[in-house]
Amino acid sequence: MDTQHQQSALKAAKVLMVGAGGIGCELLKTLALSGFEDIHIIDMDTIEVSNLNRQFLFRRSHVGQSKAKVARDAVLRFRPHINIRSYHANVKNPEFDADFFKQFDVILNGLDNLDARRHVNRLCLAADVPLVESGTTGFLGQVTVHVKGKTECYECQTKPAPKTYPVCTITSTPTKFVHCIVWAKDLLFAKLFGDKNQDNDLNVRSNNSASSSKETEDVFERAEDEDIEQYGRKIYDHVFGYNIETALSNEETWKNRRRPRPIYSKEVLPESLTQQNGSSQNSSVTDGDSMISVMPSLGLKNPQELWGLTQNSLVFIEALKLFFAKRKKEIGHLTFDKDDQLAVEFVTAAANIRAESFGIPLHSLFEAKGIAGNIVHAVATTNAIVAGLIVIEAIKVLKKDVDKYRMTYCLEHPSRKLLLMPVQPFEPNPSCYVCSKTPLVLEINTQKSKLRDLVDKIVKAKLGMNLPLIMHGASLLYEVGDDLDDIMVANYNANLEKHLSELPSPVVNGSILTVEDLQQELSCKINIKHREEFDEEKEPEGMVLSGWTQSPATNGESASTSNNENAIDATDSSSGPEIVTKKRRLSETKPENHKKEAENVESEEDDDLVEIENPMMVSKKKKRVE
Amino acid sequence: MDGEELTEQETALYDRQIRVWGPNAQRRLTKSHILVSGIKGTVAEFCKNIVLAGVGSVTLMDDRLVNEEALNANFLIPPDENAYTGKTVAEICCDSLRDFNPMVHVSVEKGDLSTFGAEFFEKFDVVVIGYGTRVIKKSVNEQCRKLSKRVAFYTVDCRDSCGEIFVDLQNYKYTKKKLEETVECELNYPSFQEAISVPWKPIPRRTAKLYFAMRVIEVFEESEGRKHGECSLLDRAKVLEIKKKLCEANSVSESHIPDNLLERLITGHTEFPPACAIVGGILAQEVIKAVSGKGDPLKNFFYFDAQDGKGVMEDISDSFTS
Ligand SMILES: [Zn+2]
């Protein structure tokens, strides 16, 4: 394996790593040890304490510094003669365009989010540079090779969408703890500490309470001289007491549901709290805002401990007080951040009180933080293994050893004795809008939807475009860029607020839009289909995009199983490996089995490749490629 | 049990992995003591992984002086001659590992492993022999088995881009989640000696070829009085002769062990770093499982070969014959 020839190939190769996190640290080390001598690395993040358990190139003293730069310095210490260039930047920045990507022989992804992965996929296609993609969640991992025209691109299969919950489940009828977390974080926290002008569904409306909305709005306003504790109790009583009471009055809702219990502060807290409002904690100020906590003053130490209703209520009031006492300036523009201790404490307490109300089991701060912050479960070993697999594929890519490219799964439980399961890569999906330019279909109400809705909900959110441009025939409806003059910007802004059918070049049933991203060098056509009505719960966006979801069932394989119904729970978060059920014949399996060499005379059962339906569903149907 | 709770500092540092294996497993990890001998590439990877995971202590044994060969694939040794001259591999690696996680106690033990008695091994919960000869593997395994407490025993060996892990957990009880229930499981492991004495004939043909190939190399090195890895293509004839003998003795065809696989194993002097990362990762995962008592452990061999990319478990025990 370690031939002279290979060593010089690695020496000459120029590779780009995107991401210097969990996988990135391991990858940079293994690349350097393997003989790669020209490595570029992009990462916009800075180092945090919770990275240190696995991102072994970082030390406590590096917290706050650029991951890319510290990783570079650390690896140069044991391989000083090689060239590593670090970029502390977002890979989506315009300077990283297709021309930038073209200088590399292979791109290696160690990213933690879907958005950036899609962006890099498009740039690799535009620059025609092979991509080795990876992901891990806990003990699960995956490495895939994407080479334009040879194997599927990263977006040939639809990825499981991030979970969303129906609005009324969050506002009125939670049944799981996660619903309470979403309520506490996206509604209550946002209402109290975030942008006051944002739409907020915090108040449940009973049948006849249209008039009450005005008075409830005022509850959240704190008068200048209002005592903070009184204010906190007022909020408490309003959201956990009054609002529940109001909701209960709507009998229809509770016919088949367990009725929630209103909770008022006087039932659970003493008349006046003896706790001081954090003024004794001057020492903590030096630690910075993200370290401020109510837990020490309440004698709470263990974040994995379950707090009772009273403790949660105390945390709620004290955290709210502390926000006003210590972080007044930030109120009005705070957004929830999992690394903001006080925010986590407040959201945990609020979610737990709400859970108590609805008879849902309570959770510890540690667990609540994981749910609220969509924290990805991560261990060092999986990252190390995946990094090793990435380098093995990168070497094959450099040698253009196409027949040997593999997509490899790391499994937690062995499947047919395998803990590391290589399978042959899939062919490109001919209906993929990214690598095959297949038109998409958008059902939308062209009279009620504005161009802004289309841009936000489809072009940005669904198509993942960064700098989009939208054309209808020869007419330019919208574009983003630094080089636009004021008149154009004004025009585009005016267009954003217009309904599709009222645009200068009206977009109606049967119109074909061209949507492009010049940085990603991606262009696709969208066929517009006018539709009047959309189901609010099932189609909350008021529009439906389709067209690239079906993967072809080729070679006569029956398409009895649907595509992604078995998306693994563990990969809920977009950061994990997207392991999606696939049902496709592997690309023409070569009959020659490279194991069958001269010595191997006897018939072998060696199945080098395994066709899998879903690698994580262990005993499911698997066929050998014979 | 206040004293046994994870500290705030530990909870913050180990946050992401506690979300994988839970606080109880983390507590057990922080109280475990690991002995590691033979620190080449794969074992360096292993050490990094368990130090990051936060075991209680790691004791390193490797009295080789640092030289060019030791540097290869071992990122724990900085290539600065001034820093390593006169120091042993274990000493240099100890410094690097301490730096990775100040909460883990890392130390060096000198001496010849074969001269230590059972009372030495009793101090540990896990013993890992890297790149050991067959004699060392057998004798340390026997010492561990004499003890009243269970010491988890592992060997790891990487040649070219292939790796082997052997596991002996003796009688091992653990829990695992099956659907919503937690079920108790029990496994009985053969010793190293017992495992490698299993007749080849009844072993299923689909078993990894590496299992047999590694036994051939072991016998070759032992019969020639070589140290681990002291072989080259010049030894090809002798190695093939041993293969022939072993196959005959076991009444299996010589095609059982491909010649080119043996050639790779005797010529691959430098370790292939991606294979080290992978095998070192699997080994650490197994040690973490055994210490925490959570999840199905590997029984009792694991093989990785970068050429086909498979990481496969093989259970080689008496069960084939009975
Ligand atoms: Zn595609």
Side-chain angles (χ1 to χ4, degrees), chain A residues 1-2 6 26 29-30 33-35 48-60 76-80 137-139 301-305 338-339 365-371 375-382 384-389 391-392 395-396 404 406 408 411-414 416-422 594-595 597 599-610 624, chain B residues 5-6 8-9 11-24 27 45 48-49 52-53 71-80 96 99-103 160-161 176 205-209 243 253-260 263-264 270-275 277-282 284-286 288-289 295-296 298 302 304-315:
Chain A
M1 188 46 78
D2 200 9
Q6 178 171 307
E26 294 288 339
K29 172 257 305 162
T30 305
L33 290 174
S34 302
E48 288 170 31
V49 169
S50 62
N51 300 148
L52 302 177
N53 80 318
R54 61 196 187 286
Q55 303 178 11
F56 77 102
L57 299 174
F58 309 146
R59 304 283 168 270
R60 203 162 275 272
L76 285 179
R77 237 171 283 135
F78 63 84
R79 285 294 180 271
T137 300
F139 293 115
K301 280 197 198 105
N302 184 355
Q304 285 159 25
E305 193 176 70
K338 67 175 178 358
D339 297 311
L365 178 112
F366 180 82
E367 293 165 314
K369 179 179 172 180
I371 300 168
I375 293 179
V376 188
H377 304 184
V379 286
T381 50
T382 318
I385 294 166
V386 158
L389 293 168
V391 177
I392 290 174
I395 293 172
K396 293 180 198 168
K404 291 194 176 158
R406 292 292 178 272
T408 307
L411 308 176
E412 182 170 5
H413 307 289
R416 292 201 322 165
K417 303 197 304 189
L418 294 177
L419 277 171
L420 301 175
M421 181 189 273
H594 56 251
K595 273 271 172 120
E597 281 146 3
E599 299 100 331
N600 267 342
V601 262
E602 294 178 35
S603 99
E604 283 292 341
E605 286 181 274
D606 260 336
D607 40 351
D608 233 22
L609 301 172
V610 196
R624 201 171 302 137
Chain B
E5 292 215 337
L6 294 172
E8 253 174 272
Q9 199 189 5
T11 305
L13 175 64
Y14 302 132
D15 182 286
R16 296 303 186 271
Q17 68 199 36
I18 293 174
R19 293 179 193 282
V20 177
W21 52 60
N24 288 330
R27 258 195 296 277
E45 288 278 351
K48 170 207 69 190
N49 293 335
L52 290 174
L71 280 171
N72 173 63
N74 189 338
F75 57 92
L76 298 177
I77 307 175
D80 174 6
S96 300
D99 208 26
F100 286 169
N101 187 350
M103 286 195 251
D160 192 64
S161 54
K176 68 169 172 182
R205 271 209 69 92
R206 291 194 44 213
T207 301
K209 300 281 176 276
K243 161 182 140 170
S253 139
E254 275 188 69
S255 66
H256 230 74
I257 312 170
D259 288 357
N260 63 348
E263 282 166 20
R264 279 174 65 202
T270 46
E271 286 177 276
F272 183 54
I278 291 164
V279 178
I282 298 277
Q285 230 157 57
E286 288 305 317
I288 290 165
K289 275 190 216 165
D296 291 311
L298 202 159
F302 172 83
F304 176 74
D305 184 348
Q307 213 148 75
D308 64 14
K310 282 192 218 170
V312 59
M313 243 167 88
E314 297 293 358
D315 186 348

Side-chain angles (χ1 to χ4, degrees), chain A residues 153 155-156 432 434-435:
Chain A
C153 84
E155 294 173 269
C156 275
C432 171
V434 179
C435 67

Side-chain angles (χ1 to χ4, degrees), chain A residues 121 125 151-157 427-436 548:
Chain A
N121 179 49
L125 287 166
T151 66
E152 67 176 358
C153 84
Y154 177 69
E155 294 173 269
C156 275
Q157 301 286 321
E427 285 180 340
N429 177 355
S431 73
C432 171
Y433 76 94
V434 179
C435 67
S436 302
W548 82 101

